[in-house]
Amino acid sequence: MPEWDKLPGAVKTRCTEIAGRVGRGVRYQGSERDDLVLGAKTVVAAMGAWMLARHFLPTAVATFAPFTALVALQATVYRSVRHCAQYLIAMTVGAALAASLAAVAGIHGWTFGLLTLAALALGRVRRLGEHGTQVAIVGFFAFSSGQGRIDYIGHLVASVVIGALCGLSAHLVLAPARHTRHRQEAVADLYEGVHRRVGVLADTIESENPDAARVEQLRRDWRRLSADADRIRHSIDAEKENGRLNPRRSVDGAAQALPRAQEAVDVAQRGLDHVRSISRSIHYAVDNGELSPVPAEFRSAYASLLRTASTALEHIGRTARTEPGVLGEILDRTAAELDRAQKEALNSPDIRPAVFALQGTLLTDAGRLVAELRRGRRVLDPSA
């Protein structure tokens, strides 16, 4: 198409991205589909609210109906109800303030200034949230367009109620999808990524010719996985909110699954802090030629320790409930591997300061990792 060819590159890229998101939303479940469904519900609710308000109410207040429908349709039912309540309270306060001033002092410049001052002060009430500014906005409409008349304010309230009902009805007809299983799978994928890369780190430590580029890549991977953990934590928080007041049923045990997934992410993030520290030490040692002089027995024991710890991590991150007995056995092996590595360090014939310092640093980080895994077991299964 010639018209398409004439578009700037940035516009083409943006259009392609939007088309891709729409296509993924149509084909697959996930955030893209949620956005599409929410957008469609918003269009229908706003259109229905506007048509009803235009039919039953004066044109001057009809716009408030679709605007309120937009406020009422948030990503979750709970957030929609909360925003609706905040907006309705702000609207009521603004309209009542305008009517009171108009009735007591009349329509004047100084009364408008007094209205503005009072509306701004009341709008700062924390319970109104981001809708505090609506106290002033609705007050201005009721004072200027409606001259503070009760009939105008009544129509304004009716328009807002129509919009709220249309918006909330859209959620009742098609409530937001539940994604408990997806959040559990995201946590499992995070742990699988950590497990796989800890294995690579163990191979690097055990290797006679460690690859500095591989260690550098691992350090980048740890940063990316840490960012993924933050994103997953936010998605779990969002899903916990999505479960409140949502008429849709979720998977069995969702009330326990999401808190457990959140705790598992916490354990993963703290574990990542320790393996990132280990990677930094290894990267420094490889760059400075200090890893090769470390005795092979210690490196082998330390690599075995990391592999056992990664097995524990993989077990913690499963979507199914953690088996305390199995995890306990793995953690006992991990503690035994740590003791073995410590003995190898003490029995090392090489007492050069650089080797001694590197071994001590690696053992300190490994000890913290083992302690974190034990703490994670207690958090995830208090009966253990």
Side-chain angles (χ1 to χ4, degrees):
M1 294 176 58
E3 293 79 4
W4 173 259
D5 294 336
K6 293 178 182 179
L7 292 175
V11 175
K12 292 181 181 179
T13 301
R14 184 58 179 165
C15 291
T16 302
E17 291 176 354
I18 294 174
R21 286 182 61 85
V22 171
R24 289 191 298 272
V26 172
R27 293 191 300 271
Y28 310 112
Q29 291 185 348
S31 59
E32 286 91 353
R33 176 172 293 183
D34 291 343
D35 292 340
L36 284 179
V37 172
L38 181 60
K41 290 194 297 185
T42 302
V43 170
V44 173
M47 183 176 63
W50 183 78
M51 293 174 64
L52 288 172
R54 291 270 296 183
H55 182 74
F56 292 106
L57 301 173
T59 306
V61 298
T63 306
F64 281 91
F67 179 77
T68 308
L70 296 181
V71 172
L73 270 169
Q74 302 294 320
T76 66
V77 178
Y78 171 76
R79 197 181 307 173
S80 296
V81 172
R82 187 186 65 197
H83 280 225
C84 256
Q86 290 174 335
Y87 181 73
L88 288 172
I89 292 172
M91 182 275 301
T92 302
V93 171
L97 185 61
S100 300
L101 280 174
V104 173
I107 307 296
H108 307 288
W110 68 270
T111 51
F112 185 84
L114 184 59
L115 167 67
T116 304
L117 180 62
L120 291 177
L122 292 171
R124 295 177 65 86
V125 175
R126 184 173 299 178
R127 289 186 178 275
L128 295 179
E130 63 188 68
H131 299 290
T133 56
Q134 295 302 319
V135 175
I137 293 172
V138 173
F140 292 164
F141 271 93
F143 194 82
S144 299
S145 299
Q147 300 293 299
R149 298 191 311 272
I150 297 301
D151 58 343
Y152 178 89
I153 293 175
H155 291 146
L156 180 61
V157 171
S159 181
V160 170
V161 170
I162 288 174
L165 291 176
C166 287
L168 294 177
S169 297
H171 266 330
L172 293 177
V173 172
L174 186 59
R178 304 291 297 276
H179 298 298
T180 301
R181 179 64 65 182
H182 293 163
R183 303 300 175 252
Q184 291 178 297
E185 292 172 353
V187 174
D189 290 343
L190 172 67
Y191 271 87
E192 174 58 30
V194 176
H195 166 73
R196 187 169 62 253
R197 287 167 178 80
V198 171
V200 174
L201 180 60
D203 294 341
T204 302
I205 292 173
E206 204 171 22
S207 174
E208 292 292 336
N209 298 301
D211 187 353
R214 175 186 281 187
V215 181
E216 178 62 30
Q217 179 60 48
L218 280 175
R219 295 186 66 184
R220 290 194 293 268
D221 289 346
W222 299 137
R223 289 192 291 270
R224 182 177 59 78
L225 287 170
S226 183
D228 288 345
D230 287 333
R231 177 182 53 79
I232 293 170
R233 180 196 301 280
H234 293 317
S235 70
I236 292 173
D237 289 339
E239 184 57 28
K240 289 171 72 175
E241 180 187 287
N242 187 34
R244 302 174 68 177
L245 305 180
N246 195 323
R248 284 202 187 193
R249 295 187 61 186
S250 184
V251 297
D252 293 337
Q256 293 78 33
L258 289 175
R260 183 194 179 280
Q262 195 167 42
E263 294 290 354
V265 172
D266 291 340
V267 173
Q269 285 191 306
R270 291 191 292 267
L272 277 170
D273 289 339
H274 302 313
V275 294
R276 287 175 70 179
S277 181
I278 294 171
S279 296
R280 283 195 299 270
S281 300
I282 296 299
H283 189 241
Y284 176 83
V286 171
D287 279 348
N288 292 275
E290 296 177 0
L291 184 60
S292 297
V294 176
E297 292 79 6
F298 174 82
R299 288 190 280 117
S300 176
Y302 197 84
S304 179
L305 163 63
L306 289 181
R307 293 189 184 101
T308 309
S310 72
T311 301
L313 282 168
E314 183 185 34
H315 196 80
I316 290 173
R318 296 187 311 168
T319 55
R321 182 176 175 83
T322 301
E323 292 293 338
V326 177
L327 180 57
E329 293 177 1
I330 297 173
L331 291 177
D332 289 341
R333 293 206 313 269
T334 306
E337 295 285 359
L338 178 60
D339 290 339
R340 176 191 164 201
Q342 289 172 336
K343 290 177 181 178
E344 292 294 345
L346 292 174
N347 296 332
S348 173
D350 193 335
I351 56 174
R352 285 183 292 177
V355 172
F356 182 78
L358 177 59
Q359 288 178 331
T361 301
L362 293 176
L363 287 172
T364 298
D365 286 328
R368 290 170 178 168
L369 176 60
V370 172
E372 189 56 56
L373 292 175
R374 288 195 176 280
R375 180 180 179 277
R377 179 197 178 191
R378 291 193 298 269
V379 170
L380 293 170
D381 188 4
S383 63

